[in-house]
Amino acid sequence: RINPMRPLTTFVLSLAFCVPSIAIIAPSAKAQENSASIQAIKNERVITVTGRGERSVKTTKARIQLGVTAEGKTAIAVQEEIGRQANRIVSRLQQLGVEKLQTTSIQLNPKYVYENNRQRQDGFTGQTTVSFVVDLDKAGSTLDAAVNSGANQIEQITFIATDAELNAAKQLALQDAVKDAQTQSNTVLGALGFTAKTIKTINVAESAIAYPVSQPRLAAFAKEANSVPILGGDQKVEASVTLQITY
């Protein structure tokens, strides 16, 4: 309750506002350097080029896959005949000292004939094949010996170079690929008025080896074919190198 005779008192509210102080700190030299580096990377210009190289190697060896086939009334009879012939072939090849001799396949299948629009089984057929590597100048005489030992199927003949020769060709092909990539970049940048600076990234693709065209499969290989000369070709080694170059 307010006394009307009492003087009014004036209340003054004092508001204090707290204003935070802001400190402005100049970036350090390291921060300025990092910022400049990031900006330089953003403004970096890069050209990507892929160079290719190729070298040819004279083949000196032949990889041959051959075997024997037989037919018979029973599976056992066919298997025994195949085993007998295969043992003779393998023994002869071992005597000749061929390299990397190995069995590549063995097959035994029912043989069917068609009569009056009906299919009926008429015995079995079997096959076994081996592969080996021989010097190219001995390939013909080795095939003669294999045929004389019972081989009647030539599956494939592939001409190859030695591992050492292929590896040497690979190194040269890589050098050619690098030179090709650099030549491409210099040509393009020069035409545009720019100059190559540094190589940013290098990507070396897996080298590819191209084999000469293989001889086709010869069924029922006859002895008359032994006199045919076996001539090898060149084996190509291809390399690819991709460069990212700044300018």
Side-chain angles (χ1 to χ4, degrees):
R1 184 175 181 181
I2 300 175
N3 188 346
M5 300 302 294
R6 186 177 180 181
L8 295 176
T9 303
T10 302
F11 294 92
V12 179
L13 298 178
S14 176
L15 301 178
F17 296 95
C18 296
V19 180
S21 59
I22 301 175
I24 301 176
I25 302 175
S28 65
K30 185 64 176 179
Q32 291 178 341
E33 180 181 344
N34 291 340
S35 177
S37 298
I38 294 173
Q39 188 64 30
I41 291 174
K42 288 182 179 179
N43 296 332
E44 188 177 62
R45 297 176 303 192
V46 177
I47 182 174
T48 302
V49 290
T50 299
R52 292 175 174 81
E54 179 182 291
R55 290 292 175 126
S56 296
V57 184
K58 194 71 177 177
T59 57
T60 57
K61 292 180 179 291
R63 180 182 288 116
I64 301 174
Q65 185 170 306
L66 54 77
V68 59
T69 61
E71 296 182 358
K73 292 297 182 182
T74 66
I76 293 297
V78 172
Q79 189 73 359
E80 288 178 350
E81 178 63 17
I82 290 293
R84 184 178 65 83
Q85 296 285 5
N87 284 331
R88 288 180 56 190
I89 296 169
V90 169
S91 296
R92 186 70 181 111
L93 292 174
Q94 288 174 334
Q95 291 174 2
L96 294 173
V98 300
E99 306 170 35
K100 301 180 181 179
L101 177 61
Q102 62 180 0
T103 299
T104 54
S105 72
I106 299 176
Q107 299 180 29
L108 180 64
N109 300 301
K111 177 186 175 184
Y112 295 99
V113 296
Y114 292 86
E115 293 179 350
N116 300 323
N117 295 324
R118 291 185 178 182
Q119 173 182 288
R120 67 177 179 85
Q121 185 178 340
D122 184 28
F124 293 83
T125 62
Q127 179 184 21
T128 185
T129 58
V130 296
S131 69
F132 57 91
V133 175
V134 65
D135 290 341
L136 195 55
D137 57 357
K138 297 179 181 179
S141 60
T142 302
L143 282 176
D144 287 348
V147 171
N148 289 328
S149 299
N152 56 20
Q153 291 281 334
I154 302 295
E155 296 289 332
Q156 191 178 59
I157 302 177
T158 305
F159 305 112
I160 58 176
T162 64
D163 292 341
E165 292 169 333
L166 290 174
N167 186 61
K170 175 183 176 181
Q171 308 311 314
L172 294 174
L174 283 171
Q175 294 178 23
D176 293 343
V178 171
K179 292 177 182 177
D180 181 41
Q182 290 178 320
T183 299
Q184 290 183 55
S185 65
N186 290 336
T187 299
V188 173
L189 293 177
L192 296 173
F194 296 111
T195 302
K197 292 181 179 179
T198 61
I199 297 175
K200 185 177 181 181
T201 64
I202 303 172
N203 181 38
V204 180
E206 186 70 23
S207 297
I209 299 176
Y211 293 89
V213 177
S214 302
Q215 299 267 346
R217 172 174 173 166
L218 303 177
F221 187 78
K223 294 183 180 181
E224 288 78 12
N226 291 336
S227 59
V228 176
I230 297 177
L231 305 176
D234 290 339
Q235 194 169 2
K236 294 181 180 180
V237 179
E238 300 174 346
S240 175
V241 175
T242 300
L243 304 178
Q244 281 193 327
I245 302 173
T246 61
Y247 65 93

